[in-house]
Protein backbone atom coordinates (compact mmCIF):
# COMPACT_ATOMS: atom_id res chain seq x y z
CA UNK A 1 0.00 0.00 0.00
CA UNK A 2 1.42 3.39 -0.96
CA UNK A 3 1.25 6.43 1.28
CA UNK A 4 -1.42 7.91 -0.99
CA UNK A 5 -3.48 4.72 -0.75
CA UNK A 6 -3.20 4.76 3.04
CA UNK A 7 -4.10 8.45 3.16
CA UNK A 8 -7.12 7.78 0.94
CA UNK A 9 -8.28 4.98 3.29
CA UNK A 10 -7.99 7.33 6.27
CA UNK A 11 -9.82 10.04 4.30
CA UNK A 12 -12.68 7.66 3.48
CA UNK A 13 -12.98 6.77 7.17
CA UNK A 14 -13.03 10.48 8.07
CA UNK A 15 -15.77 11.08 5.48
CA UNK A 16 -17.81 8.30 7.11
CA UNK A 17 -17.15 9.72 10.58
CA UNK A 18 -18.33 13.18 9.54
CA UNK A 19 -21.53 11.67 8.17
CA UNK A 20 -22.00 9.40 11.19
CA UNK A 21 -21.46 12.15 13.74
CA UNK A 22 -24.13 14.19 11.97
CA UNK A 23 -26.58 11.36 12.62
CA UNK A 24 -25.32 10.75 16.16
CA UNK A 25 -25.55 14.44 17.03
CA UNK A 26 -29.17 14.53 15.92
CA UNK A 27 -30.10 11.72 18.34
CA UNK A 28 -28.38 12.87 21.54
CA UNK A 29 -28.88 15.88 23.77
CA UNK A 30 -26.99 17.94 26.31
CA UNK A 31 -23.34 17.12 26.96
CA UNK A 32 -23.37 14.21 24.51
CA UNK A 33 -24.67 16.44 21.74
CA UNK A 34 -21.96 19.01 22.49
CA UNK A 35 -19.35 16.23 22.34
CA UNK A 36 -20.80 14.89 19.09
CA UNK A 37 -20.71 18.40 17.58
CA UNK A 38 -17.12 18.93 18.73
CA UNK A 39 -16.08 15.59 17.25
CA UNK A 40 -18.00 16.30 14.05
CA UNK A 41 -15.88 19.44 13.68
CA UNK A 42 -12.72 17.54 14.68
CA UNK A 43 -13.33 14.97 11.96
CA UNK A 44 -14.16 17.66 9.40
CA UNK A 45 -10.81 19.32 10.13
CA UNK A 46 -8.98 15.99 9.97
CA UNK A 47 -10.74 15.17 6.68
CA UNK A 48 -9.67 18.50 5.22
CA UNK A 49 -6.07 18.03 6.41
CA UNK A 50 -5.91 14.57 4.83
CA UNK A 51 -7.35 15.90 1.56
CA UNK A 52 -4.69 18.64 1.56
CA UNK A 53 -1.91 16.05 2.10
CA UNK A 54 -3.23 13.91 -0.73
CA UNK A 55 -3.40 16.93 -3.03
CA UNK A 56 0.14 17.92 -2.05
CA UNK A 57 1.28 14.45 -3.15
CA UNK A 58 -0.24 15.10 -6.59
CA UNK A 59 -3.30 12.87 -6.20
CA UNK A 60 -7.01 13.62 -6.22
CA UNK A 61 -8.63 13.10 -2.79
CA UNK A 62 -11.51 10.62 -2.76
CA UNK A 63 -14.85 12.41 -2.56
CA UNK A 64 -17.35 11.68 0.15
CA UNK A 65 -20.21 9.35 -0.67
CA UNK A 66 -23.73 10.76 -0.77
CA UNK A 67 -24.66 8.57 2.20
CA UNK A 68 -23.08 5.90 4.37
CA UNK A 69 -24.48 2.76 5.91
CA UNK A 70 -24.11 3.05 9.65
CA UNK A 71 -23.20 -0.05 11.68
CA UNK A 72 -26.60 0.00 13.43
CA UNK A 73 -29.77 2.07 13.48
CA UNK A 74 -29.47 5.20 15.61
CA UNK A 75 -32.70 5.29 17.57
CA UNK A 76 -31.62 6.24 21.10
CA UNK A 77 -28.81 7.76 23.09
CA UNK A 78 -27.30 4.34 23.73
CA UNK A 79 -27.45 3.28 20.10
CA UNK A 80 -25.96 6.64 19.09
CA UNK A 81 -23.06 6.08 21.50
CA UNK A 82 -22.53 2.54 20.15
CA UNK A 83 -22.43 3.85 16.58
CA UNK A 84 -19.98 6.60 17.55
CA UNK A 85 -17.71 3.96 19.15
CA UNK A 86 -17.75 1.91 15.94
CA UNK A 87 -16.97 5.00 13.85
CA UNK A 88 -13.92 5.59 16.03
CA UNK A 89 -12.91 1.91 15.80
CA UNK A 90 -13.09 2.20 12.01
CA UNK A 91 -10.79 5.21 12.17
CA UNK A 92 -8.23 3.25 14.20
CA UNK A 93 -8.23 0.57 11.51
CA UNK A 94 -8.00 3.10 8.67
CA UNK A 95 -5.08 5.00 10.23
CA UNK A 96 -3.21 1.74 10.91
CA UNK A 97 -2.38 1.68 7.20
CA UNK A 98 -0.35 4.87 7.62
CA UNK A 99 1.68 3.44 10.50
CA UNK A 100 3.97 1.65 8.03
CA UNK A 101 4.64 4.69 5.89
CA UNK A 102 8.26 5.50 5.11
CA UNK A 103 7.39 9.14 5.94
CA UNK A 104 7.99 9.81 9.64
CA UNK A 105 5.40 12.62 9.66
CA UNK A 106 2.74 10.22 8.39
CA UNK A 107 3.71 7.61 10.99
CA UNK A 108 3.36 10.24 13.70
CA UNK A 109 0.00 11.34 12.27
CA UNK A 110 -1.16 7.71 12.28
CA UNK A 111 -0.06 7.08 15.86
CA UNK A 112 -1.76 10.20 17.19
CA UNK A 113 -4.94 9.63 15.21
CA UNK A 114 -5.15 6.01 16.35
CA UNK A 115 -4.60 6.94 20.01
CA UNK A 116 -7.22 9.67 19.86
CA UNK A 117 -9.77 7.48 18.10
CA UNK A 118 -9.22 4.61 20.55
CA UNK A 119 -9.72 6.94 23.52
CA UNK A 120 -12.93 8.32 22.00
CA UNK A 121 -14.21 4.80 21.28
CA UNK A 122 -13.67 3.76 24.90
CA UNK A 123 -15.53 6.83 26.13
CA UNK A 124 -18.46 6.26 23.77
CA UNK A 125 -18.67 2.61 24.84
CA UNK A 126 -18.92 3.72 28.45
CA UNK A 127 -21.74 6.10 27.48
CA UNK A 128 -23.48 3.22 25.73
CA UNK A 129 -23.34 1.16 28.91
CA UNK A 130 -20.94 -1.32 27.36
CA UNK A 131 -17.96 -2.55 29.30
CA UNK A 132 -14.70 -1.27 28.00
CA UNK A 133 -12.58 -4.19 26.99
CA UNK A 134 -8.84 -4.09 27.53
CA UNK A 135 -7.09 -2.40 24.63
CA UNK A 136 -5.68 -4.57 21.91
CA UNK A 137 -1.93 -4.91 21.71
CA UNK A 138 -2.26 -3.88 18.05
CA UNK A 139 -5.33 -1.62 17.80
CA UNK A 140 -6.69 -1.32 14.32
CA UNK A 141 -4.95 -4.45 13.09
CA UNK A 142 -7.55 -6.93 11.85
CA UNK A 143 -7.60 -10.17 13.88
CA UNK A 144 -6.77 -12.29 10.81
CA UNK A 145 -3.47 -10.41 10.44
CA UNK A 146 -2.26 -11.93 13.71
CA UNK A 147 -2.94 -15.50 12.67
CA UNK A 148 -0.07 -17.90 12.85
Amino acid sequence: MTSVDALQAALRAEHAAVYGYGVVGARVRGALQRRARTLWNTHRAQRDALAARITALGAEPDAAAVAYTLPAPVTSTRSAARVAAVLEDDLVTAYAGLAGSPDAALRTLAARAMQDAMARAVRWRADAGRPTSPPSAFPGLPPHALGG
Side-chain angles (χ1 to χ4, degrees):
M1 178 182 284
T2 68
S3 292
V4 170
D5 293 336
L7 284 163
Q8 294 282 24
L11 176 62
R12 288 188 299 272
E14 290 290 358
H15 283 313
V18 168
Y19 177 88
Y21 271 107
V23 175
V24 167
R27 295 289 185 194
V28 293
R29 298 287 173 257
L32 291 179
Q33 188 176 56
R34 287 188 293 280
R35 185 184 335 150
R37 184 181 313 118
T38 297
L39 293 175
W40 180 70
N41 283 321
T42 296
H43 289 298
R44 288 175 60 219
Q46 191 69 359
R47 173 202 64 194
D48 294 348
L50 289 169
R53 282 182 180 267
I54 292 166
T55 300
L57 291 172
E60 181 72 25
D62 288 346
V66 174
Y68 292 84
T69 302
L70 296 176
V74 181
T75 58
S76 67
T77 298
R78 282 184 182 241
S79 65
R82 284 192 298 269
V83 165
V86 172
L87 292 170
E88 296 296 345
D89 288 340
D90 290 347
L91 286 161
V92 173
T93 301
Y95 278 100
L98 281 172
S101 173
D103 181 339
L106 290 180
R107 290 192 307 271
T108 299
L109 170 73
R112 287 187 181 139
M114 291 169 63
Q115 289 171 344
D116 292 345
M118 183 62 72
R120 291 186 299 258
V122 167
R123 188 169 180 196
W124 281 116
R125 275 192 193 80
D127 292 331
R130 296 247 169 130
T132 55
S133 58
S136 166
F138 300 99
L141 192 63
H144 68 276
L146 298 174

